[in-house]
Amino acid sequence: MRSMEPIAPDAPGPAPLPPLDLAPGHAAAGHLPGPFNEEALENFAIQLRARLTAGSPTLGLVFMAPPYFKFAREALEIIRLHARTPLLAGCSSHALVVNRHEIEREGGLALALYHLPGAELHGFHFPARDVEPDPGAGYWVRQSGVEPEHTRGWLVFADPFHMRSDQWLRGWNASYSPRPILGGLASGSDGEFSSQIYLNGHVYDEGGVAVSIGGAVSIAGLVAQGCEPVGETWTITRAEGNVIHQIGNRPAYEVLQETFAMLPETVRGRAKGNIFVGLAINEYTEDFRRGDFLIRNLLAGDPKSGALAVAAFPRAGQTVQFQLRDAAAATADLAEHLAQTRADLAGKLVYGGCLCVCNGRGTHLFGRADHDAGLVARSLGPLEFAGFFGNGEFGPVGPRNFIHGYSATLALFTKA
């Protein structure tokens, strides 16, 4: 881990980042609490559309809590009619996100409307049966009807229970990488293996819904995996399948033990049971930082053989660094990515966003409500966004897209 030099009291700090250039009246997001009520939803959709002062909706994103399941189709038609959305997409979730709030217990419905000038949008549903083990580079181009040069990225909501999402993503990357995919896997009631995916007036219980963003609008992505690097970066010298046998020509388990032993005592306490593996995406990076690693679970370690089993397929020659994940690390990680996003989008007009948060975050991780949504709002200003808590999040690390866990991903719609 890079050492941090203390800053002298009279040393100038870093220049403050400029605020995002937000387009007023181009997005409006709101939460309708309580059970389904036709009149209440009509009024809610009309009032939300009235807040879209820049023009008519181009896109609507909707997220519904499980009590809405049997009314979902009716709810979609009410929104399409009264919010006048030409393209409406979303999914179910046990917890919702609206602007700076995370609604983990009240249920209801979250809706965001966006006026995206000059956008070329295309939405389609792909059933689980269409997911092929090795579809080839052009398969999803044929299925979607969208050529790679006609999209700037995708917003995807998928069912986690009936489809091999990792298999789908491999084929999708073959067709569209490096264009980003943001979104996530739907969720439902605790303990029940059911969810819903929405596209216009249709309700699906399997597969996925993909929305291509193109024309005069781009989609920018932020992926905060919730970790901080610990110890040094190493090179994997022997790996087989999902097992790392040697790191730096030493038993991998020995390197993990040494890394843990060298941590400061306060950090060691945080690290117990919270160590993950970070696999570098780009081997040519000279100074590895947050966002350069794909974070995966450390499944098991064998002190006798010296092997480590991980939830990935590492390769010899790949750079690895152990990672610490807890509430403090997740907070620092998201804050750093938000600061980088502000810097990257300086001078670009931002219309609105969509925030996807892992089920393992929220009050379960941070001990209080509104953590991720509140941090986004404080960092980026009065951005209008909606989202949901999911069973996994889609987002790019380097030129490829992955499924993440314990992460927060933010999609921002910007002027191209």
Side-chain angles (χ1 to χ4, degrees):
M1 182 160 48
R2 298 183 302 278
S3 61
M4 301 296 290
E5 295 295 332
I7 299 176
D10 57 349
L17 291 168
L20 281 187
D21 187 7
L22 299 175
H26 283 71
H31 172 234
L32 180 64
F36 174 76
N37 180 286
E38 182 175 346
E39 183 179 358
L41 182 55
E42 287 181 8
N43 292 332
F44 172 72
I46 292 169
Q47 291 167 10
L48 201 63
R49 177 168 54 84
R51 289 175 47 202
L52 211 65
T53 56
S56 299
T58 311
L59 171 68
L61 297 180
V62 60
F63 308 100
M64 303 187 208
Y68 262 76
F69 274 18
K70 62 182 178 180
F71 306 105
R73 193 179 307 277
E74 187 177 354
L76 293 175
E77 291 300 338
I78 291 171
I79 293 169
R80 294 178 71 204
L81 176 63
H82 294 280
R84 301 177 189 171
T85 53
L87 179 58
L88 180 64
C91 66
S92 64
S93 177
H94 78 282
L96 310 173
V97 176
V98 175
N99 296 330
R100 61 176 61 247
H101 298 297
E102 298 168 6
I103 301 101
E104 298 187 55
R105 294 180 180 86
E106 298 174 37
L109 173 148
L111 176 65
L113 305 177
Y114 309 87
H115 173 68
L116 305 175
E120 295 177 5
L121 307 180
H122 175 71
F124 81 106
H125 169 253
F126 53 92
R129 65 176 180 272
D130 285 356
V131 176
E132 299 287 342
D134 186 15
Y139 178 79
W140 286 111
V141 174
R142 295 191 298 272
Q143 294 293 101
S144 70
V146 178
E147 296 293 332
E149 61 270 22
H150 293 157
T151 183
R152 300 182 185 275
W154 295 84
L155 200 59
V156 177
F157 309 110
D159 158 60
F161 303 119
H162 304 93
M163 185 180 77
R164 285 287 305 274
S165 298
D166 54 343
Q167 191 169 284
W168 161 76
L169 195 54
R170 282 196 298 273
W172 199 272
N173 275 322
S175 289
Y176 290 109
S177 181
R179 291 156 185 82
I181 301 170
L182 281 304
L185 299 171
S187 64
S189 299
D190 290 341
E192 294 186 12
F193 298 100
S194 64
S195 64
Q196 293 182 338
I197 318 286
Y198 311 126
L199 180 63
N200 296 325
H202 299 285
V203 178
Y204 303 99
D205 61 4
E206 54 83 33
V209 163
V211 177
S212 168
I213 311 295
V217 175
S218 288
I219 182 170
L222 175 159
V223 179
Q225 299 180 77
C227 285
E228 67 180 51
V230 294
E232 303 295 326
T233 55
W234 299 84
T235 300
I236 297 173
T237 46
R238 185 180 163 219
E240 183 179 1
N242 73 320
V243 177
I244 303 174
H245 292 281
Q246 291 185 346
I247 296 175
N249 292 315
R250 297 166 55 198
Y253 189 87
E254 181 182 299
V255 176
L256 172 61
Q257 280 188 312
E258 180 183 284
T259 300
F260 186 83
M262 294 181 66
L263 294 175
E265 187 173 347
T266 54
V267 179
R268 212 178 304 149
R270 293 169 51 202
K272 288 182 179 179
N274 294 318
I275 291 293
F276 291 71
V277 172
L279 300 170
I281 297 300
N282 183 1
E283 295 304 320
Y284 299 100
T285 301
E286 294 184 3
D287 184 20
F288 288 99
R289 300 178 180 274
R290 293 183 194 270
D292 293 331
F293 294 92
L294 177 64
I295 310 299
R296 287 298 184 252
N297 285 354
L298 178 59
L299 301 177
D302 183 359
K304 290 184 178 180
S305 68
L308 297 176
V310 301
F313 295 97
R315 63 184 185 278
Q318 190 170 21
T319 299
V320 63
Q321 187 170 22
F322 295 108
Q323 308 279 327
L324 165 63
R325 177 181 278 156
D326 66 357
T331 299
D333 182 48
L334 180 56
E336 185 171 318
H337 277 89
L338 288 166
Q340 186 61 53
T341 296
R342 283 178 59 182
D344 292 343
L345 294 180
K348 285 191 175 181
L349 194 62
V350 179
Y351 299 120
C354 176
L355 178 64
C356 303
V357 178
C358 179
N359 283 337
R361 294 172 73 103
T363 54
H364 175 76
L365 177 63
F366 300 107
R368 59 183 178 86
D370 304 335
H371 178 276
D372 290 334
L375 188 51
V376 170
R378 292 192 299 274
S379 300
L380 302 186
L383 176 75
E384 294 279 333
F385 60 92
F388 69 104
F389 280 62
N391 282 306
E393 300 73 52
F394 301 128
V397 179
R400 289 193 297 149
N401 299 284
F402 297 90
I403 302 173
H404 305 279
Y406 301 100
S407 68
T409 66
L410 178 64
L412 294 172
F413 307 117
T414 72
K415 185 176 181 180

